[in-house]
Amino acid sequence: MKNLKIDVAGMTCGSCVRRVEQALARVDDVVVKRIDRSGAELEIADDVDVADIVNAVKAAGYDASVEATA
């Protein structure tokens, strides 16, 4: 497992946070460690495609970009 931090643009309220959280929960092998209006910290399996995570957030109506990996 590795850590991933993503910036999420457009989240303005608690409902936005929940929508993104639900979108990320549908991506296999992703564990949400923290999420707030600025972004999310995730734990992901080594074989998870980061593009799948970004696409899930975009499908929920927000823009996402990878900030850092560890």
Side-chain angles (χ1 to χ4, degrees):
M1 298 293 272
K2 60 185 176 182
N3 293 317
L4 176 71
K5 183 167 181 174
I6 58 171
D7 291 325
V8 180
M11 288 194 295
T12 59
C13 64
S15 293
C16 296
V17 171
R18 282 189 296 281
R19 266 187 230 113
V20 171
E21 193 171 41
Q22 290 170 346
L24 292 171
R26 289 190 289 269
V27 180
D28 290 336
D29 297 323
V30 171
V31 176
V32 176
K33 295 171 67 176
R34 181 197 59 82
I35 187 167
D36 60 30
R37 292 182 193 164
S38 65
E41 290 180 16
L42 313 172
E43 188 173 285
I44 65 173
D46 291 332
D47 61 345
V48 171
D49 188 351
V50 175
D52 290 341
I53 295 168
V54 171
N55 290 335
V57 173
K58 287 183 177 184
Y62 305 92
D63 194 25
S65 60
V66 176
E67 183 178 302
T69 57

